[in-house]
Amino acid sequence: MSTAPVFWKTSLDSIDTAVKKIHKGSARVLGKSAGNRSIWLIEYGLKKTKPGTANYCSALAAGNGKYYFGEPGKPVLLLVAGEHGGEMEGIAAIMNLISVLETGHDLRGKAYGQIENIANDVRILLIPCLNPDGRSRIPFDSMEGKTLQELRYYMQGTWKDGSLCDWPECKKVHPVLGAVDHLGAYYNDDGFNIMVDNVFAPMAQETKMLLQLAEQEMPSLTLHLHGGDNCHGMLMPPLFVENTIKERAQKLDRHVAERFSANNLPYYQFDKLGNEEWNKPMPFSIEHAMHHVCGGLSLVFENNMGLCEPGTTRCSLNEILDGHLLLFEEALKLIAEQAQEELR
């Protein structure tokens, strides 16, 4: 079995080690997973000291979002990885971002002056792995070089008859625990897929934690970092949102597309989707719920996993990391610019 390069840190042990070395930010356990594993939250920048007097829904009903947002403060970027425990690309990216924020360079030694400069004016919240239960079932650090069949086994698992839980049929049972022989990394130890939990009455404690954090922290932008086999990088279209939020997402999408193109990285721009794609039925999943909890933009980012599949685009681990750090830089720029506009 091949060993991942030194800059590709995704194990639960490597997260535990990294949080103990943080000194420019702070780290705390946000809560425990279904399997009683620690879910770490890393914080950079001061928290708003004067929040509002109502929840977001109530503030809108009162006719002014300020009753939720309170006094202006630093814009907040929230990055969440490992919602599906075997999608390790986002975990590696957050670990490298921590290195940038702590030392000025990523784990490859590459400097990111733009990120450092903007980070001073932004509050950054990082969850390296929301689903440590799922991550604990993966015996390696990367899906690079694996086949699609291997991905399905480790990610979605097998049904009672031994057949692979294919995608999207793996979602036909929720929670999946009693229906499977091998429990994949998609799920926590209770068999819940956090992304498609019932956000109105969450069954998974990880879902509750994330929604509570969103309400408390009011993130301007949340990025849910996922792996989509050998797909091109893409931000998933924002749904169930008003036009101002959609326009903000389209702006980020355009800027990320430009940066990926300039760096010869594959990207699929959702702004070019036809009306059928925008209007097809979609689940109201956790990224949508987070907008309605806190008013901020909340998007899923899907990226290449470097699988060994003929006829597909295969990115290297270096390229996968490059793409994420470009995304983070553009995300920071967007919310910093938005905050400046709101002060004018």
Side-chain angles (χ1 to χ4, degrees):
M1 186 176 293
S2 60
T3 304
V6 293
F7 66 82
W8 194 266
K9 307 283 189 186
T10 68
S11 71
L12 298 181
D13 284 345
S14 67
I15 295 172
D16 289 342
T17 299
V19 298
K20 292 172 185 174
K21 296 179 180 178
I22 288 172
H23 64 278
K24 290 187 177 178
S26 62
R28 64 183 172 91
V29 175
L30 182 63
K32 294 288 188 175
S33 69
N36 201 36
R37 295 177 175 89
S38 295
I39 297 171
W40 286 99
L41 173 69
I42 296 98
E43 306 172 66
Y44 291 92
L46 295 176
K47 187 174 182 178
K48 185 182 292 188
T49 56
K50 292 185 178 179
T53 57
N55 62 27
Y56 182 62
C57 180
S58 184
L60 292 187
N64 196 324
K66 72 177 183 181
Y67 300 124
Y68 167 67
F69 293 111
E71 294 296 319
K74 285 185 175 183
V76 180
L77 175 65
L78 171 59
L79 302 179
V80 186
E83 284 169 308
H84 293 148
E87 293 171 7
M88 297 170 280
E89 299 72 29
I91 300 174
I94 286 181
M95 295 287 278
N96 277 268
L97 180 59
I98 291 170
S99 180
V100 171
L101 297 172
E102 290 288 326
T103 70
H105 52 77
D106 66 17
L107 294 171
R108 300 172 296 187
K110 185 176 178 180
Y112 288 85
Q114 275 274 47
I115 288 179
E116 279 194 283
N117 291 338
I118 303 169
N120 294 325
D121 299 318
V122 174
R123 177 164 166 79
I124 301 173
L125 303 175
L126 307 172
I127 300 177
C129 188
L130 185 66
N131 179 10
D133 293 353
R135 178 64 189 90
S136 72
R137 292 182 218 114
I138 302 291
F140 38 80
D141 288 325
S142 163
M143 287 290 176
E144 184 186 39
K146 303 294 184 292
T147 66
L148 185 59
Q149 203 170 31
E150 287 175 307
L151 173 72
R152 292 286 176 250
Y153 174 79
Y154 286 108
M155 282 293 297
Q156 286 83 30
T158 60
W159 300 113
K160 288 288 190 182
D161 64 3
S163 62
L164 289 173
C165 299
D166 213 341
W167 184 92
E169 288 78 12
C170 58
K171 299 173 185 175
K172 69 184 182 183
V173 181
H174 186 87
V176 76
L177 191 60
V180 296
D181 179 44
H182 170 66
L183 182 64
Y186 235 42
Y187 316 97
N188 71 9
D189 276 2
D190 288 336
F192 290 112
N193 178 350
I194 298 165
M195 287 298 292
V196 294
D197 195 2
N198 180 358
V199 294
F200 299 103
M203 293 179 278
Q205 52 211 48
E206 297 89 344
T207 311
K208 295 175 189 175
M209 275 181 237
L210 193 55
L211 293 174
Q212 287 168 356
L213 181 68
E215 184 163 30
Q216 293 162 1
E217 289 284 353
M218 312 172 202
S220 314
L221 171 59
T222 301
L223 293 175
H224 305 256
L225 307 174
H226 286 258
D229 50 70
N230 275 6
C231 70
H232 288 197
M234 73 172 294
L235 291 162
M236 302 298 287
L239 304 173
F240 316 110
V241 298
E242 61 271 26
N243 284 338
T244 55
I245 297 296
K246 187 181 291 187
E247 288 164 4
R248 202 174 299 161
Q250 289 170 319
K251 182 178 180 179
L252 178 62
D253 187 42
R254 287 194 299 273
H255 289 175
V256 174
E258 289 167 4
R259 295 295 301 280
F260 270 59
S261 176
N263 287 272
N264 297 313
L265 298 171
Y267 190 80
Y268 185 79
Q269 198 172 339
F270 75 67
D271 203 16
K272 296 180 179 178
L273 294 174
N275 286 334
E276 284 187 11
E277 287 294 315
W278 274 102
N279 296 320
K280 70 181 182 181
M282 292 291 288
F284 189 86
S285 49
I286 196 166
E287 77 273 21
H288 307 128
M290 287 185 70
H291 163 71
H292 292 277
V293 164
C294 69
L297 178 59
S298 177
L299 298 170
V300 166
F301 176 67
E302 296 275 4
N303 201 43
N304 197 282
M305 300 177 81
L307 300 180
C308 182
E309 281 296 306
T312 66
T313 300
R314 180 181 175 183
C315 291
S316 68
L317 296 185
N318 270 298
E319 290 172 324
I320 292 168
L321 178 55
D322 284 342
H324 279 86
L325 289 167
L326 290 174
L327 170 68
F328 299 163
E329 185 177 322
E330 291 304 320
L332 286 165
K333 285 181 187 175
L334 180 81
I335 63 172
E337 290 169 4
Q338 176 193 332
Q340 288 299 314
E341 289 171 6
E342 290 171 354
L343 289 173
R344 289 179 192 142

